Amino acid sequence: MNIAIVGYGTAGKHYIELLKPFIKKGKIFIIEKNRIKKLPKKCVQLNFEQISNENLKINCAIICSPSGLHFEHASFFLKKSIDTLIEKPFVLSLKDA
């Protein structure tokens, strides 16, 4: 199973630690604008362009980016029919919901 996590802040790190024991053959793809110096095991840092261009198989995504970016980041995965979990708040406007 391959999982994408957007954001490497407190919530993103929390999900990585929760998921690592369950990732047997897959990877955790971390999408983070800042370079991560020491990646946890089973993790690979990518950006949105790489995900689109490399045609990676992603089973689900978790959005842990700043709240104002939740809609944009979730839309990216939902348009690809990838199951997506969004940290709270879901979105910042009723229109985006």
Side-chain angles (χ1 to χ4, degrees), residues 33-97:
K33 67 177 182 177
N34 300 314
R35 175 98 171 104
I36 302 169
K37 294 179 183 172
K38 188 176 178 188
L39 283 170
K41 288 184 179 181
K42 302 180 185 178
C43 294
V44 176
Q45 185 173 2
L46 299 174
N47 58 44
F48 287 103
E49 187 176 311
Q50 289 172 300
I51 291 173
S52 292
N53 293 342
E54 295 179 21
N55 202 18
L56 299 170
K57 170 75 170 130
I58 296 175
N59 302 94
C60 63
I62 303 172
I63 310 302
C64 303
S65 54
S67 301
L69 298 171
H70 285 183
F71 177 76
E72 176 186 344
H73 293 162
S75 294
F76 175 86
F77 292 103
L78 292 171
K79 286 177 184 172
K80 295 179 175 299
S81 298
I82 296 172
D83 293 333
T84 304
L85 180 137
I86 305 170
E87 265 294 308
K88 63 183 183 200
F90 171 55
V91 289
L92 296 181
S93 74
L94 189 57
K95 177 183 83 93
D96 290 343

